[in-house]
Amino acid sequence: MLTRTTVELMLGAAGYCTHPERLTLRGGTLRPVQFPAGFACIIHPVLGPVLFDTGYTSRFFKETAHLPASLYRHITPVIYEDQDSAALQLKAIGIAPEQVRYVVLSHFHADHIGGVRDFPSAQFVYLQDAYESVRQLGALRALKAGFLPGLLPEEFARRSLPFRRDEAVQRFEAGFPFQKGWDLFGDGSMLAVELSGHAEGMIGIFISTQQHDYFLCADAVWSSRAIHENRPPHPAAGLIMSSRSDYRDSFCKVMELHKKYPEVCIVPSHCRQALARWGGSLGHER
Ligand SMILES: [Zn+2]
């Protein structure tokens, strides 16, 4: 096991967006394909349900009703119905929104933070630089960074528990693709590592269930195929990246993890195959 404390994991998706596969997978098809807006519900033995990202909610449509933000939904059309929210899906399996005490945010793109307002008791855990890089952007630059500030609650900063780059310490064995990381809850249950490039300060997390080690790698890769076939995204996808060279570094680390530690289940946020294999409609793995 990669981590000290095992958890239970449920993977779900709250809505989909569509764009040509070729943008996310070199040599892929030009026809639009669906990319689930994935989230993970991690049941911690002491802390209870902890969310990793949230997917979309109907608030996305409200926040993108007018220019310039409406460009966002034209560029990546979103398929979403009210019952798709993470909060309602959790409710359906007996987890009330108030029970969620922590929401870990991989980065601040709208399809990851869309549901944070639905969890009124939650504190938000993220790498400080991820928020700092978007917090003060004007409307157009925020849009280019995929950030819709209205998705965050007014008291977001007060309810936040950000961690800093210089707090990262050695967490992994020699030869592991990542050297430093953060022990998010101090009990070895969730180890975060930096995956900048897709977005500044993006993180992924390592968790372990009784059965498997998982790496929730957010948007460092968009699909399991990209990893198995070593196919990075189309260069045009670089337009929305915070740094192409950081992206390449992060992509290489995920590839190295896959090669050296093939037993680790790598879960990209927007991969239909990963969702079907390890989660799907909040399939429950204990
Ligand atoms: Zn993203």
Side-chain angles (χ1 to χ4, degrees):
M1 287 292 159
L2 276 175
T3 69
R4 281 205 319 268
T5 303
T6 57
V7 295
E8 296 170 28
L9 172 66
M10 293 176 274
L11 296 172
Y16 287 77
C17 73
T18 55
H19 42 234
E21 182 184 55
R22 192 172 293 182
L23 263 185
T24 65
L25 189 74
R26 195 160 290 175
T29 170
L30 274 176
R31 133 186 99 71
V33 290
Q34 293 190 352
F35 292 87
F39 67 91
C41 179
I42 297 157
I43 309 289
H44 185 284
V46 177
L47 305 173
V50 175
L51 284 191
F52 181 65
D53 291 333
T54 64
Y56 288 110
T57 56
S58 53
R59 249 170 259 111
F60 175 78
F61 299 103
K62 193 173 142 245
E63 295 298 325
T64 55
H66 306 290
L67 278 170
S70 56
L71 293 172
Y72 195 137
R73 59 206 256 198
H74 289 300
I75 295 165
T76 54
V78 171
I79 301 160
Y80 175 86
E81 289 176 26
D82 283 338
Q83 68 268 26
D84 294 340
S85 75
L88 284 181
Q89 291 188 54
L90 293 183
K91 235 182 201 167
I93 57 164
I95 298 172
E98 298 75 26
Q99 283 174 268
V100 176
R101 286 165 56 196
Y102 299 99
V103 177
V104 179
L105 296 171
S106 65
H107 64 301
F108 284 77
H109 283 168
D111 49 340
H112 295 256
I113 64 168
V116 297
R117 277 175 179 263
D118 286 345
F119 300 95
S121 314
Q123 291 190 285
F124 306 109
V125 180
Y126 52 83
L127 178 57
Q128 192 160 23
D129 305 74
Y131 187 44
E132 289 305 320
S133 68
V134 295
R135 191 165 68 92
Q136 286 176 331
L137 297 178
L140 270 177
R141 292 187 61 208
L143 185 66
K144 186 169 179 285
F147 176 55
L148 300 169
L151 295 173
L152 300 178
E154 285 69 31
E155 68 285 9
F156 181 76
R158 189 175 54 74
R159 287 168 55 193
S160 287
L161 299 167
F163 51 94
R164 295 195 319 266
R165 266 196 186 115
D166 60 8
E167 292 169 334
V169 295
Q170 185 73 38
R171 298 268 170 220
F172 303 100
E173 62 196 32
F176 200 70
F178 299 90
Q179 269 89 57
K180 288 186 160 187
W182 299 268
D183 182 354
L184 292 186
F185 296 104
D187 61 357
S189 60
M190 283 180 226
L191 304 178
V193 294
E194 184 167 353
L195 291 168
S196 270
H198 168 78
E200 175 65 12
M202 188 172 81
I203 54 161
I205 58 169
F206 287 95
I207 53 170
S208 304
T209 63
Q210 296 281 354
Q211 279 76 32
H212 295 293
D213 290 320
Y214 288 86
F215 182 44
L216 311 185
C217 73
D219 296 359
V221 297
W222 272 291
S223 63
S224 303
R225 264 179 79 197
I227 308 167
H228 296 139
E229 299 169 18
N230 190 6
R231 287 160 75 178
H234 190 276
L239 286 175
I240 59 140
M241 290 174 186
S242 60
S243 158
R244 288 174 200 255
S245 61
D246 286 355
Y247 181 81
R248 227 171 292 126
D249 284 354
S250 295
F251 186 87
C252 286
K253 283 182 183 160
V254 178
M255 288 299 301
E256 194 187 335
L257 179 76
H258 169 63
K259 280 197 199 116
K260 285 190 179 168
Y261 298 82
E263 70 284 2
V264 176
C265 308
I266 301 177
V267 184
S269 289
H270 306 305
C271 178
R272 273 179 303 173
Q273 284 82 12
L275 191 61
R277 185 164 172 204
W278 295 307
S281 354
L282 282 187
H284 198 164
E285 197 206 314
R286 283 179 190 275

